[in-house]
Amino acid sequence: MRIGIVILPDQRWSDSRRRWSQADEWGFDHAWTYDHLGWRDLVDGPWFDSVTTLTAAATVTSRIRLGTLVASPNFRHPAAFARQVTALDDVSGGRLLLGLGAGGIGFDSAVLGGETLPPRQRVDRFAEFTGLLDLILREDGTTWRGEWFTAVDARNNPGCVQTPRVPFVMAANGPRSMRLVARFGQGWVTTGPDEDDLEGWWGGVAEAAARMDATLAAAGRDPGTLDRYLSLDSAPVFSLSSAEFFADQVGRAAALGFTDVVTHWPRDSSWYAGDEAVLADVATRLLPELRRA
């Protein structure tokens, strides 16, 4: 079991730097930040760019993998984004995990003045976004004219440090998105269902895991070739409520076949409100044991 942590980009780097360095020193396997232009009610507070933040994080860490949770076509174009991805993979020495998703509704989908797309069209756009991004990252000189994106002789030289490209960790809960994971993903990440009851949430997670198994089988893909990430804090109870609760949630994820779990660095209030002392306890006392689970 690998354990990851999300560090929201809601602090100035002078304050946030400590968290990234500490996550590396504690031995977390991966650290992520949200790829949004603004997020929920935090849009009115401080918020910083994900790629720039991860680039800075790469310079103050040495071993931890770094990722977007998750980048989307709401405001990204594959040709421009591929250049950023290539640079970030280079600066990090091949430690980038590229989290990708279809993109939801809200600030990101409205700030550029475009229309808010219904779910089916968002998945259509995601499929094209993923296919084009995959192509540009693997091949130099890509020309593409699709329904959502156009690229003319898009370059990738020198390419990613990781070959044939950086790993895609793809968010999916529905059948079409899961088929995209089976085709393009090296990892799958799920938030589970929108559920206020903890046991109900875990039931939905189990159902999603079973659907992913069925999707891989239908695609003829070995399930062992796909890493499985669970965002624990999509549950109605914060995973770092206590060290014991966190250990229990990791155990439940492992029992469902997840290879990786992700928690969040506790904040003072609002989303993911909690006590940093619990995080420190988990990291120093439980993390070595949990990673062997």
Side-chain angles (χ1 to χ4, degrees):
M1 175 62 72
R2 293 178 292 262
I3 314 293
I5 190 163
V6 176
I7 302 171
L8 293 187
D10 62 344
Q11 291 187 328
R12 292 191 181 277
W13 181 247
S14 56
D15 297 317
S16 181
R17 173 177 179 158
R18 168 188 69 87
R19 297 182 174 184
W20 293 94
S21 297
Q22 186 67 75
D24 192 42
E25 292 172 9
W26 271 334
F28 280 94
D29 294 284
H30 30 78
W32 310 77
T33 201
Y34 284 2
D35 187 47
H36 293 292
L37 298 177
W39 186 70
R40 299 190 179 181
D41 59 341
L42 301 186
V43 71
D44 295 321
W47 196 265
F48 295 93
D49 174 69
S50 66
V51 172
T52 309
T53 297
L54 291 172
T55 302
T59 68
V60 299
T61 57
S62 61
R63 44 150 300 279
I64 196 169
R65 304 210 73 173
L66 305 168
T68 52
L69 198 71
V70 291
S72 82
N74 266 345
F75 57 90
R76 298 268 182 213
H77 188 290
F81 192 40
R83 283 299 198 192
Q84 294 176 298
V85 168
T86 301
L88 182 50
D89 197 44
D90 180 66
V91 173
S92 68
R95 289 185 284 136
L96 177 62
L97 294 168
L98 191 59
L100 299 174
I105 61 174
F107 187 79
D108 286 350
S109 65
V111 66
L112 299 183
E115 63 176 314
T116 297
L117 300 176
R120 175 171 291 278
Q121 287 184 291
R122 293 203 302 273
V123 176
D124 289 342
R125 184 182 61 174
F126 182 41
E128 188 173 316
F129 175 86
T130 305
L132 178 53
L133 183 62
D134 169 71
L135 191 60
I136 295 174
L137 290 174
R138 288 189 295 104
E139 299 181 8
D140 199 29
T142 297
T143 295
W144 176 290
R145 297 188 186 278
E147 180 181 358
W148 302 97
F149 301 102
T150 298
V152 179
D153 196 23
R155 303 303 181 92
N156 79 343
N157 190 31
C160 298
V161 174
Q162 301 175 83
T163 57
R165 56 157 170 77
V166 299
F168 287 2
V169 179
M170 300 176 64
N173 284 320
R176 294 180 62 210
S177 295
M178 285 186 172
R179 288 195 292 271
L180 288 175
V181 174
R183 181 179 176 189
F184 292 107
Q186 286 67 56
W188 165 57
V189 59
T190 182
T191 57
D194 185 9
E195 176 64 64
D196 293 331
D197 174 72
L198 183 60
E199 292 306 314
W201 184 79
W202 276 109
V205 169
E207 291 172 2
R211 290 197 302 273
M212 192 72 249
D213 286 338
T215 301
L216 293 172
R221 179 169 173 179
D222 179 357
T225 64
L226 184 73
D227 292 333
R228 300 170 183 234
Y229 296 74
L230 178 61
S231 179
L232 291 176
D233 297 326
S234 299
V237 181
F238 184 39
S239 63
L240 292 174
S241 297
S242 71
E244 291 70 26
F245 182 74
F246 183 78
D248 177 72
Q249 301 306 283
V250 172
R252 295 186 72 164
L256 292 176
F258 285 91
T259 60
D260 298 74
V261 295
V262 182
T263 186
H264 287 71
W265 197 288
R267 302 178 68 253
D268 291 336
S269 61
S270 185
W271 299 96
Y272 316 121
D275 188 347
E276 283 195 14
V278 175
L279 171 62
D281 186 27
V282 165
T284 58
R285 183 171 61 89
L286 298 182
L287 190 59
E289 179 181 345
L290 291 172
R291 291 175 65 196
R292 291 192 297 269

